[in-house]
Amino acid sequence: METPLILLMEPLSKNIGMYVPAYPLPLVEIASYVKRLYPESRIRILSLPVDYGLPLTREGKELIYDEVLRDLDGLNPACIGISCTAIAQAQEVIDLCDRIKEADPDAFLFVGGYFPTLYYEEMLSRTSSIDLVVRGEGEIPLAGIVKAFERGRDPRKDDIPNLVWKEEGKLLFSKDLVRFDPKKKPPLDPSPLKSLSDYDLLPYAFSRGCTFRCTFCMESYMRPGWREVPEKVVKEDLAMLSRESRARMILVSDALFKSIDLLPFVQSLGMKVNFETRGDVMDPSAFPKIAGACGSLAIGLESASFDTLKRMNKVRNREHYEHYINNTRAIFRQAAEHEIPIMVFMIAGFPGDGEEDLEETLRFAEELAEYGGPGGHVFKIGECRVYPKTRLHQLASSMSDVIFDDQGVFGDNVVRRPSRGLDFDKVLSYMQKIYQLSRITPLLQESLWTLMPFFRFPPEVFADETVPGSCFRDKGRTVLRAKMESLSEFRRIAPSLAGKYEGLMSGPRSTRNLPL
């Protein structure tokens, strides 16, 4: 009897109104653990963005789904697990599950990731197509699911942790959540992917979880506490990625940035990293050592106001705040001096904010902008969004003067009035002032297009006759390719497209939505 096939899928993902590449390396990590435990198991990973493309129209999306369903019919998997990392993916995951179930009512579907870990009830209430939700980290549950199907058993009947499902209208849970110990993480096994060489960008986690509990962050719901991946495994993984893929940029995840000593090793492999750090974590004196390995730097500043940072739970007291601001300033100056492109992330209109909080952030951004170097910098500031079951929702709901779009898990949930004296129009005016302090240099633009190939491009760009046909999967140009060669080709003409559509690129978000 043939060993049953377990299929894992990376779904389509949207950023604002545009479908964007999404990378399944986290699925590879989970599959590698199971393959190490059970070498004879059959696991395959499909990436809808890379293997099938990114839809530009409704017709293009139907084209992708038709092909996916044909492939599933040929593969005949015993079960299908679908990753759901962010709120932006959730509806896409539900749509995909509904499509699969409609084509094959007997298909067994399970989902996992950040979103279903917190919002399993909402997903199971929105569709009956999902048979099972995995909460928290996926290695141990997937191992149990694989073994259950190999034995011909329903995994809901086995003693597998981290599971929740619906039966006769009621939620049922398996035993308590179990954390995965990264010390047991084996080296990556890329064999379940079609081809690692198709990917132009690779996310990699040097550690998991975070010791901080910022009010707006979902990390602690998924992985409470911080745990480091052993250096030996990290080096083996990076060496393999360097050999087997053509990607020269790695997106590093390491909440406490303890792995800074590994960056020279990354450079020795001919690769660079993009990494994000907190303003109070990184040592600015490390830049001379790591500058050659750093493709770009993102600083999670969020705000320069002490009161706001306290509400965000980013600083403990005034002393911590002073270190947070001073260290951020030093990091920014060192990055600018070493010509490293910098992205500074901020949230505007956080619950409880007054105009004085936004003014303080604006003044700090003005100060940072004065240090700008050839690497360039962008102040990526967005409005605050409040989602149910989070500490931020509890905070916003407890403040009588705060008004937000309480539209549930699948809504926009924008904070419309952070405090009695501050309306949304005023928040938007500060966002515009702060963003305009950005300095978009060629180095920064190249970095942004590496990380986000379609950054700020409106739909009109993809109908432009100068975009080569090789960037599309079909003659009707309804599906973009997201493989390495196609994205490289698109990036080659991106500067001329940016110049041609400059006016549209600076427009409101609503003007950059695909007409789906």
Side-chain angles (χ1 to χ4, degrees):
M1 181 177 175
E2 187 179 35
T3 304
L5 173 67
I6 309 300
L7 186 65
L8 304 180
M9 299 180 72
E10 182 71 38
L12 293 172
S13 182
K14 265 187 176 180
N15 183 357
I16 309 175
M18 175 69 198
Y19 287 98
V20 295
Y23 305 97
L25 219 60
L27 290 179
V28 176
E29 287 200 55
I30 295 170
S32 299
Y33 173 75
V34 178
K35 293 282 286 182
R36 171 63 68 89
L37 281 181
Y38 310 121
E40 301 305 315
S41 62
R42 295 173 62 219
I43 302 177
R44 184 165 175 181
I45 298 172
L46 290 183
S47 166
L48 264 65
V50 174
D51 295 335
Y52 297 91
L54 306 170
L56 293 170
T57 65
R58 183 176 289 113
E59 292 75 18
K61 190 170 183 180
E62 293 302 319
L63 190 72
I64 289 172
Y65 277 129
D66 287 346
E67 188 173 348
V68 170
L69 292 174
R70 284 197 301 271
D71 287 349
L72 292 182
D73 187 51
L75 290 169
N76 191 30
C79 68
I80 302 170
I82 303 174
S83 172
C84 187
T85 303
I87 289 172
Q89 273 187 324
Q91 190 58 54
E92 298 296 329
V93 169
I94 289 172
D95 290 346
L96 177 59
C97 289
D98 288 342
R99 297 285 188 112
I100 295 172
K101 267 302 193 200
E102 185 179 357
D104 180 8
D106 294 328
F108 189 95
L109 306 179
F110 65 96
V111 300
Y114 283 87
F115 187 88
T117 290
L118 187 56
Y119 297 117
Y120 53 85
E121 184 175 6
E122 287 77 2
M123 293 195 81
L124 291 170
S125 297
R126 202 172 180 92
T127 179
S128 60
S129 298
I130 297 173
D131 297 294
L132 189 65
V133 171
V134 173
R135 297 184 296 153
E137 293 166 296
E139 281 88 349
I140 295 172
L142 180 64
I145 290 169
V146 166
K147 187 51 63 176
F149 275 98
E150 288 181 354
R151 293 170 175 166
R153 291 178 55 82
D154 185 329
R156 293 169 294 194
K157 306 301 182 184
D158 277 11
D159 192 26
I160 303 171
N162 300 30
L163 305 184
V164 58
W165 64 95
K166 208 166 189 179
E167 196 172 293
E168 297 181 354
K170 294 182 180 180
L171 290 175
L172 299 178
F173 298 83
S174 66
K175 60 185 179 181
D176 291 343
L177 290 174
V178 174
R179 282 292 309 272
F180 176 69
D181 183 357
K183 292 180 181 178
K184 297 180 180 179
K185 173 186 163 356
L188 289 174
D189 175 3
S191 62
L193 287 175
K194 276 189 175 181
S195 174
L196 188 59
S197 64
D198 287 336
Y199 297 85
D200 70 325
L201 193 66
L202 298 169
Y204 186 79
F206 283 18
S207 66
R208 294 188 179 188
C210 185
T211 56
F212 298 98
R213 291 174 59 83
C214 299
T215 312
F216 56 86
C217 183
M218 294 175 68
E219 181 66 36
S220 62
Y221 301 106
M222 181 75 174
R223 300 182 180 102
W226 179 84
R227 296 183 180 182
E228 194 169 13
V229 177
E231 182 176 317
K232 180 178 181 292
V233 175
V234 173
K235 285 187 171 182
E236 284 187 50
D237 286 348
L238 295 177
M240 183 279 293
L241 294 175
S242 175
R243 289 192 312 270
E244 303 294 331
S245 82
R246 294 174 292 165
R248 298 296 93 187
M249 178 67 76
I250 299 175
L251 299 176
V252 172
S253 173
D254 184 2
L256 298 189
F257 206 63
K258 297 284 189 180
S259 307
I260 196 166
D261 291 338
L262 285 167
L263 296 197
F265 175 74
V266 174
Q267 187 178 7
S268 74
L269 298 173
M271 307 178 86
K272 289 194 172 186
V273 300
N274 165 270
F275 66 87
E276 182 175 353
T277 185
R278 286 173 53 108
D280 53 349
V281 167
M282 185 183 170
D283 181 1
S285 68
F287 273 96
K289 180 180 178 181
I290 68 166
C294 186
S296 60
L297 166 70
I299 305 174
L301 174 69
E302 316 310 346
S303 174
S305 160
F306 170 70
D307 290 337
T308 301
L309 291 171
K310 275 283 288 180
R311 270 179 272 117
M312 291 178 172
N313 199 36
K314 289 213 75 172
V315 299
R316 297 181 299 275
N317 49 41
R318 181 64 69 169
E319 182 181 4
H320 185 189
Y321 167 75
E322 294 296 337
H323 170 69
Y324 186 94
I325 292 298
N326 292 334
N327 208 61
T328 298
R329 184 185 293 113
I331 292 171
F332 191 98
R333 293 185 70 168
Q334 283 292 314
E337 183 178 324
H338 288 87
E339 301 184 9
I340 296 171
I342 314 164
M343 288 166 274
V344 181
F345 294 116
M346 289 180 270
I347 299 173
F350 197 78
D353 271 359
E355 186 170 355
E356 64 278 7
D357 297 301
L358 295 178
E359 184 65 37
E360 195 163 2
T361 300
L362 174 60
R363 288 197 303 270
F364 188 60
E366 288 171 338
E367 179 187 347
L368 294 181
E370 291 294 318
Y371 305 132
H377 61 268
V378 60
F379 295 112
K380 287 179 61 61
I381 184 165
E383 65 269 23
C384 185
R385 296 171 185 265
V386 177
Y387 291 98
K389 296 186 177 180
T390 63
R391 290 183 294 276
L392 179 54
H393 191 276
Q394 294 171 3
L395 175 68
S397 300
S398 71
M399 305 173 81
S400 59
D401 291 334
V402 175
I403 296 176
F404 63 96
D405 300 332
D406 201 355
Q407 299 167 332
V409 170
F410 297 92
D412 287 334
N413 301 302
V414 174
V415 174
R416 299 294 175 181
R417 191 179 75 180
S419 62
R420 183 176 295 276
L422 184 61
D423 60 30
F424 192 57
D425 287 339
K426 181 64 73 173
V427 172
L428 289 176
S429 72
Y430 273 93
M431 288 171 58
Q432 184 176 27
K433 290 175 186 176
I434 291 170
Y435 176 76
Q436 286 174 345
L437 293 168
S438 303
R439 185 164 180 254
I440 312 294
T441 65
L443 276 174
L444 176 62
Q445 190 67 79
E446 181 182 351
S447 177
L448 289 172
W449 282 330
T450 297
L451 301 172
M452 298 168 280
F454 315 121
F455 181 65
R456 299 189 76 88
F457 279 131
E460 288 83 352
V461 162
F462 305 103
D464 193 287
E465 60 184 12
T466 63
V467 180
S470 60
C471 291
F472 301 92
R473 283 206 63 193
D474 62 321
K475 292 182 179 179
R477 298 163 77 99
T478 66
V479 179
L480 272 170
R481 293 184 188 274
K483 294 181 186 293
M484 185 168 199
E485 292 87 348
S486 303
L487 292 181
S488 296
E489 189 72 4
F490 186 85
R491 290 188 184 101
R492 183 181 63 79
I493 63 167
S496 62
L497 291 170
K500 187 173 181 179
Y501 294 93
E502 182 179 5
L504 293 175
M505 288 177 70
S506 60
R509 284 186 173 187
S510 58
T511 65
R512 302 200 299 277
N513 290 341
L514 290 174
L516 290 172

